[in-house]
């Protein structure tokens, strides 16, 4: 008997013939991604988890939102793994830390700095958060076919959007605890490409489970020049990163 997993509201019968999931954070991005697929249909919508399935170039795929941050991402990946999903590709956005990276560029993380908390429940901090090599290769080939400007390297995953990423336009106007007060500058000096909130959890979790994971991130803003993105650019950048992610399927 097929039993629905607790949070996603899905059962194994709904995911027949699917081994790959594309994971945006925002439930609102799920139908946008599904708009690129053939025969797309809704599956479930429970809490922050919205799911749809469809076909890309004849291959059955799942799109499922994770919500924001590591804890909700870990729940999503855990329950999809229970249902037979083997490959996971995060479709997200990010804030660049290095001067040569511009809004609209694509970042394909090869690994992530584990500034999150969720990944520590999966493996000790000495365990690396690294992307699946074959998936990264496919993503690079896809962005090169599309002639998107892209960057390979390390991102950093923070559990908080304001304090952990040292934003000044916060409720307390830039105050953060002393131990992370210079986190942004430290990440820049370590040649970390960008800040985001989910990749470290995803990569650590899938590596410990023996599953494959990678991510494609659209750069919304360069933190050396601005704290928040231009809303007019947002839709265009989302479109680019969706196309970049789907390109891993050929």
């Amino acid at each position: 008997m097929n039993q629905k997993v607790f949070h996603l509201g899905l059962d194994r019968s709904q995911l027949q013939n699917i081994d790959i999931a594309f994971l945006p954070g925002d439930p609102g991005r799920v139908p946008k991604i599904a708009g690129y697929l053939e025969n797309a249909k809704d599956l479930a919508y429970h809490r922050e988890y919205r799911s749809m399935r469809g076909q890309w170039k004849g291959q059955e795929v799942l799109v499922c939102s994770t919500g924001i941050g590591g804890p909700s991402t870990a729940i999503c990946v855990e329950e999809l793994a229970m249902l037979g999903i083997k490959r996971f590709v995060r479709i997200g956005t990010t804030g660049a830390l290095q001067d040569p990276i511009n809004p609209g560029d694509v970042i394909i993380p090869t690994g992530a700095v584990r500034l999150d908390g969720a990944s520590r429940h999966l493996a000790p901090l000495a365990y690396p958060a690294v992307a699946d090599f074959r998936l990264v290769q496919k993503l690079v080939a896809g962005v090169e076919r599309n002639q998107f400007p892209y960057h390979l390297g390390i991102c950093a995953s923070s559990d908080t959007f304001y304090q952990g990423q040292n934003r000044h336009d916060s409720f307390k106007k830039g105050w953060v605890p002393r131990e992370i007060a210079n986190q942004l500058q430290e990440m820049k000096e370590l040649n970390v490409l960008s800040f985001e909130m989910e990749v470290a959890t995803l990569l650590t979790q899938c590596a410990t489970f023996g599953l494959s994971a990678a991510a494609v991130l659209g750069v919304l803003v360069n933190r050396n020049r601005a704290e928040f993105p231009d809303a007019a650019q947002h839709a265009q950048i989302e479109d680019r990163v969706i196309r970049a992610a789907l390109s891993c399927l050929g």
Side-chain angles (χ1 to χ4, degrees):
M1 185 174 89
N2 284 307
Q3 183 174 356
K4 292 185 185 296
V5 291
F6 186 72
H7 296 89
L8 304 186
L10 295 170
D11 64 44
R12 190 175 284 265
S13 70
Q14 293 173 288
L15 305 187
Q16 285 183 346
N17 304 315
I18 300 177
D19 81 334
I20 188 167
F22 293 96
L23 307 177
D26 181 1
R29 288 182 183 157
V30 172
K32 184 170 184 177
I33 298 167
Y36 289 78
L37 307 178
E38 295 180 349
N39 303 316
K41 65 177 183 178
D42 287 295
L43 295 177
Y45 196 164
H46 185 231
R47 304 188 187 190
E48 61 264 57
Y49 305 111
R50 183 174 186 176
S51 54
M52 299 181 71
R53 68 177 291 167
Q55 297 161 355
W56 175 260
K57 297 187 176 180
Q59 183 168 339
E60 298 284 346
V61 303
L62 175 71
V63 183
C64 185
S65 57
T66 64
I68 296 175
S72 59
T73 297
I75 290 171
C76 181
V77 172
E78 186 93 28
E79 295 189 357
L80 289 179
M82 292 176 186
L83 299 176
I85 300 299
K86 305 295 185 187
R87 296 183 292 160
F88 299 82
V89 178
R90 168 157 167 73
I91 299 176
T93 54
T94 193
L97 300 180
Q98 302 301 324
D99 283 327
I101 305 175
N102 297 307
D105 288 2
V106 172
I107 290 176
I108 300 173
T110 54
V113 183
R114 293 172 57 192
L115 304 177
D116 66 320
S119 73
R120 301 181 194 205
H121 289 195
L122 298 157
L125 273 177
Y127 191 97
V130 291
D132 180 85
F133 179 71
R134 292 180 180 84
L135 270 181
V136 169
Q137 281 186 310
K138 291 178 179 179
L139 290 168
V140 168
V143 295
E144 289 182 346
R145 281 196 306 272
N146 285 290
Q147 299 184 321
F148 296 150
Y150 75 96
H151 309 267
L152 281 172
I154 307 296
C155 68
S157 300
S158 167
D159 264 349
T160 52
F161 180 81
Y162 289 98
Q163 287 74 28
Q165 300 181 34
N166 291 178
R167 281 184 168 82
H168 294 285
D169 193 11
S170 61
F171 175 69
K172 295 185 75 173
K173 301 304 175 190
W175 181 89
V176 296
R178 283 191 296 273
E179 64 266 27
I180 60 170
N182 296 312
Q183 193 153 265
L184 185 147
Q185 185 61 35
E186 182 181 26
M187 292 300 107
K188 286 170 61 176
E189 291 176 1
L190 290 170
N191 202 37
V192 171
L193 300 187
S194 71
F195 264 132
E196 56 78 61
M197 299 181 68
E198 294 83 17
V199 171
T201 301
L202 173 68
L203 299 185
T204 304
Q205 185 171 21
C206 286
T208 62
F209 288 178
L211 304 171
S212 300
V216 186
L217 308 174
V219 177
L220 290 180
V221 66
N222 187 301
R223 290 291 308 281
N224 299 311
R225 301 192 279 276
E227 289 212 324
F228 292 93
D230 179 350
Q233 291 181 315
H234 207 129
Q236 181 181 1
I237 294 169
E238 279 190 352
D239 175 76
R240 174 172 286 184
V241 78
I242 291 167
R243 290 165 59 197
L246 291 171
S247 70
C248 78
L249 299 177

